[in-house]
Structure formats: structure tokens, C-alpha cells
Amino acid sequence: LEMGASVTEFSTTVGLFPSFARVDNDARLFTAKAALSLSPGRSHDVRVGGGIEDYRMRYDAGSEALSASFLDLRYRPRVWSAFIDDQWRPNDWLMLRPGLRMEAVRGGADVVTYSPRVAIKTFVTGDFALTGSAGRYHQPIHSLRDHSSPWSFVDFWIGADSVTPVGRSEHLVLGFEQWFTPELSLTVEGYHKTFDDILNNNVADDLSVQGDEFVTMTGDAYGLDVLLRKYEGDWNGWVSYSFGKSMREDPTQEFAPAHDRRHFLNLVVNGSGPFGSEMSMRWGYGSPLPYTQIVGEWEHRTYRVAANGFRDFETEPIADLQLNGRRYPHYSRLDVSFRWEKRWWGAAARPFLQFVNLYNRDNVFFYNFDFTEAPGVRRTIQQLPFLPSFGVEFEF
């Protein structure tokens, strides 16, 4: 029998100064859970359990300078859950893991969800196995982000209620594992995932109406992951390749989300380096990520009754109608590190030398659009440049 309980608090504040706009997001989570392991037979390992997740969440947006409150949202979802799964080995060449999870979401949403899932692994030979899994997943908590930016600096969280649905996703994964030697393996997996009732910010939100702050989206993702790995030996490491395509659709358009990177290649090598060092090298390549083009800006002026005129203004960008219709350049980076170890009288010193972005690739972090000049100027904010570092670790 396993039992546990925890309390977690999360708080984020993002502001535009001086006191023009501010967004606050607070969340407190209390969880309690228990699970019981049973062995009704030599071929079955059964787990049954349940728990409760109690959320207290706040999402506020306003302007102190304008004495205005744009949003004042409270979420209190409470999730009662129960599950059962069985690790079943009917024979030496087959492993099955069926399971079912039930969740009762209260606090406004008031729905009961059922999430069946199953995983299978069959050994065709001692060195070759086929794998697969399928399942349905529900999530009463939503993460809000700007889908036009590939970099999420801050996550905002809200919960399901009477107008915010519980998100749902269905997964299908098929693949195989091949062991060429005890030290060398190849894993290949293909997947397809669908998403329903996930959220996006409503650009047509009416501030006088509560409940239309977000719109629901559907989504689709499919891809292929390949991993060739050598675990031991004088030289070890891995090569991984991922292909993936993701799409989202809201009531107005279909678009690629900010994380839609179609191709990613990663090479990691560990082995003996110069002067008795242990060398590690990593090279990565990623195809372009999407972003939304900024095509102009306008001055949002504020009318002052006392002065009988427009005195203050803020510059607001005008985005392209097609969300994420452009792509950044591709990404690539080479990192190399060297480590040594010296021991004296039971103590150890480990000097290291590291080179980040060895060939100084100008990888784009994001674009900044400046329309104070005519025509407008797009300026590039770069990621890490070539960055050497040296240090020593001591252990006594």
C-alpha cells in the first residue's frame, strides 16, 4: 500500500510598466492519493487506487494606470479519481497492460470522464519486439500560452468550470525495438494524437461579458521518433531523429502551433578526449519554428475629459491575419566539453572545459519589429553565441 499527500503553490505576475498593465496568476493544489498493489497470480501485477486533487486558482488582468480590471476569474475544480491497471504476462513472448481511469470533476464543470488505455509488447525473437499503446486522456487544467511565439517565458493556468471544458486527447503509438548486441539498440515509434476542447485566447473578447475570454480548439499531431543508442564501450552515445507535424484549429482558422518543428536531429558522442580527458559532444539540428509576422502598428490614444483631448497613447502591434504563417531560420548548435579527474588522499578535483555553440551559429531567438522608421525594420534577437567556460569541481 502506498499513500501520499502534498500541497503545491504557484504564483506568476507579469507587468508592463509604469503600471500600465498587469496579469496575476495564482494556483494552489492539494493532492492526496493511495494505491494498492496486488498479485492475484504469477502472471498478473494489479494496481488499484484513487485520489483527490483540489485546486484554487486565480487569473486577473488589469491596469492600475487606467484604474481598470479586464479579467477577474476564479477556478476551483476538485477532481476525484480512481484507477485500475494490470501488468499481465500471459506467456514469455507477450506483455499486456490494460487499465482504466475514472475522474469526477466538480467545481463548475461537473462531469465524469472515463479513460481506457492499453499497452502491448510482444517479443518476435529474443532481440526484436513490437510495441504499441492506445489510450484516452483527460485534463481539467489548461495551460495558456501565446501560440504565435515559440518561446513560452511564463505559463498561465486556469481550470475547468461551467464555461471552460475538460480537455481530451486520444493517443495511438506503434513501434518496435531491435537489439543488435547487448550494447546497441534501435527504437522506432510512430504516433498519432488528437486533441479536443483545448483553449486559446479569444481575440474578440468582450470585456463586458464574462465567459467569452477563451475559445476552444481542436488539434492533431502525428510523427515518427527514431533512436539508435550505444550504451557502453570506449565510445558511446546516441543518434535520434524526430519528424512531427502539429496543427490547431479554432473557430476562425487552422494554424501550426508555436512548437511545430517538423524535423529534429540530435547526435551525442561520449569517449576519450585529448590529454587524458573524457570528452562529450552534442550536435543538434532543428527545422524552422513558426511565428506570426507583425505587419504594422497603431497608436492607441486615451481621451482625457479634464484636458478635453487625447493626451496619452500606447503603441500596439498589428499582426498578420494568418497566425504562425511565417517560419524562423533553421536551428543548429555544436557543444563540446572536456573533463578530467585527479585524486589525492581520498579527495577529488574535476576540472572541466566547455564550449557552447562552438561554430558560433546565429540562431534566432525571436524577431523584434520596429516601425519608428519608415519602412519598418525587423531586428533579430539571437540565442547564445559562442560561449567558452572553465571550472573545477571538488569532492572531499
Side-chain angles (χ1 to χ4, degrees):
L1 178 65
E2 298 178 7
M3 301 181 67
S6 65
V7 177
T8 304
E9 290 193 15
F10 167 89
S11 179
T12 297
T13 298
V14 176
L16 298 177
F17 298 100
S19 303
F20 180 78
R22 175 176 173 142
V23 178
D24 294 296
N25 187 210
D26 299 321
R28 175 182 293 178
L29 168 62
F30 168 76
T31 62
K33 57 184 179 180
L36 178 63
S37 299
L38 304 171
S39 297
R42 289 186 302 174
S43 62
H44 290 273
D45 291 317
V46 178
R47 280 172 55 87
V48 296
I52 179 176
E53 300 175 3
D54 189 77
Y55 295 87
R56 294 292 184 270
M57 312 176 78
R58 180 174 67 96
Y59 184 71
D60 291 344
S63 172
E64 182 180 346
L66 302 177
S67 301
S69 177
F70 307 134
L71 290 175
D72 186 7
L73 307 178
R74 300 292 187 272
Y75 301 93
R76 293 190 173 184
R78 177 174 294 172
V79 184
W80 297 89
S81 63
F83 74 90
I84 180 171
D85 67 68
D86 179 17
Q87 182 69 61
W88 179 29
R89 298 175 298 276
N91 48 54
D92 294 337
W93 55 269
L94 181 62
M95 297 173 62
L96 291 170
R97 187 168 186 173
L100 177 65
R101 182 179 181 86
M102 183 275 290
E103 292 181 333
V105 184
R106 299 294 181 251
D110 297 330
V111 298
V112 178
T113 64
Y114 298 91
S115 304
R117 58 199 67 175
V118 63
I120 182 172
K121 186 171 185 177
T122 176
F123 293 89
V124 180
T125 68
D127 300 324
F128 181 76
L130 298 174
T131 60
S133 63
R136 178 179 298 161
Y137 302 86
H138 291 88
Q139 184 169 305
I141 305 302
H142 295 269
S143 174
L144 300 177
R145 65 164 298 172
D146 183 359
H147 283 279
S148 64
S149 172
W151 315 110
S152 180
F153 301 100
V154 178
D155 287 328
F156 295 104
W157 300 88
I158 65 172
D161 61 9
S162 58
V163 295
T164 306
V166 175
R168 187 184 72 191
S169 179
E170 295 184 351
H171 296 191
L172 175 64
V173 182
L174 297 173
F176 68 86
E177 298 176 4
Q178 173 69 61
W179 289 84
F180 301 102
T181 70
E183 301 174 354
L184 182 64
S185 70
L186 172 67
T187 303
V188 178
E189 284 189 340
Y191 63 87
H192 181 244
K193 302 177 182 180
T194 61
F195 307 92
D196 292 285
D197 290 331
I198 53 180
L199 294 190
N200 197 13
N201 291 299
N202 183 8
V203 296
D205 173 30
D206 185 345
L207 298 180
S208 64
V209 177
Q210 186 167 350
D212 69 339
E213 296 82 13
F214 312 104
V215 295
T216 59
M217 298 188 297
T218 59
D220 183 81
Y222 61 88
L224 179 73
D225 295 322
V226 181
L227 175 63
L228 178 65
R229 183 165 186 176
K230 189 174 186 294
Y231 293 85
E232 298 178 0
D234 295 336
W235 291 92
N236 59 77
W238 64 86
V239 180
S240 64
Y241 167 76
S242 296
F243 164 78
K245 182 178 180 180
S246 298
M247 296 299 293
R248 298 288 186 269
E249 185 173 0
D250 65 17
T252 62
Q253 64 178 305
E254 185 180 32
F255 63 94
H259 61 268
D260 179 46
R261 193 189 292 278
R262 302 294 170 84
H263 305 277
F264 191 80
L265 180 63
N266 201 22
L267 170 64
V268 176
V269 177
N270 304 304
S272 300
F275 308 107
S277 66
E278 295 180 2
M279 185 181 73
S280 179
M281 180 186 72
R282 175 193 173 275
W283 179 78
Y285 166 84
S287 60
L289 287 168
Y291 74 96
T292 301
Q293 175 84 354
I294 303 299
V295 297
E297 65 181 16
W298 67 293
E299 293 181 354
H300 187 174
R301 294 184 176 272
T302 302
Y303 179 75
R304 299 295 184 183
V305 176
N308 190 27
F310 293 90
R311 294 289 183 175
D312 302 320
F313 71 90
E314 186 201 5
T315 300
E316 295 188 8
I318 302 173
D320 190 1
L321 294 178
Q322 177 57 51
L323 185 63
N324 289 342
R326 302 291 184 93
R327 296 264 174 176
Y328 291 107
H330 78 270
Y331 164 93
S332 71
R333 200 176 89 185
L334 175 64
D335 301 337
V336 180
S337 66
F338 304 91
R339 288 183 173 271
W340 294 265
E341 181 173 327
K342 301 295 182 181
R343 290 187 172 271
W344 301 279
W345 302 295
R350 300 186 180 93
F352 62 87
L353 179 63
Q354 296 178 334
F355 300 97
V356 175
N357 195 7
L358 187 62
Y359 51 80
N360 199 27
R361 161 79 181 180
D362 291 332
N363 292 303
V364 177
F365 190 40
F366 62 89
Y367 290 138
N368 181 39
F369 296 89
D370 183 5
F371 292 94
T372 59
E373 304 178 26
V377 177
R378 186 186 74 183
R379 293 187 170 90
T380 300
I381 308 300
Q382 306 288 354
Q383 297 186 37
L384 287 175
F386 170 67
L387 185 64
S389 62
F390 173 76
V392 181
E393 298 175 355
F394 296 97
E395 180 179 322
F396 299 95

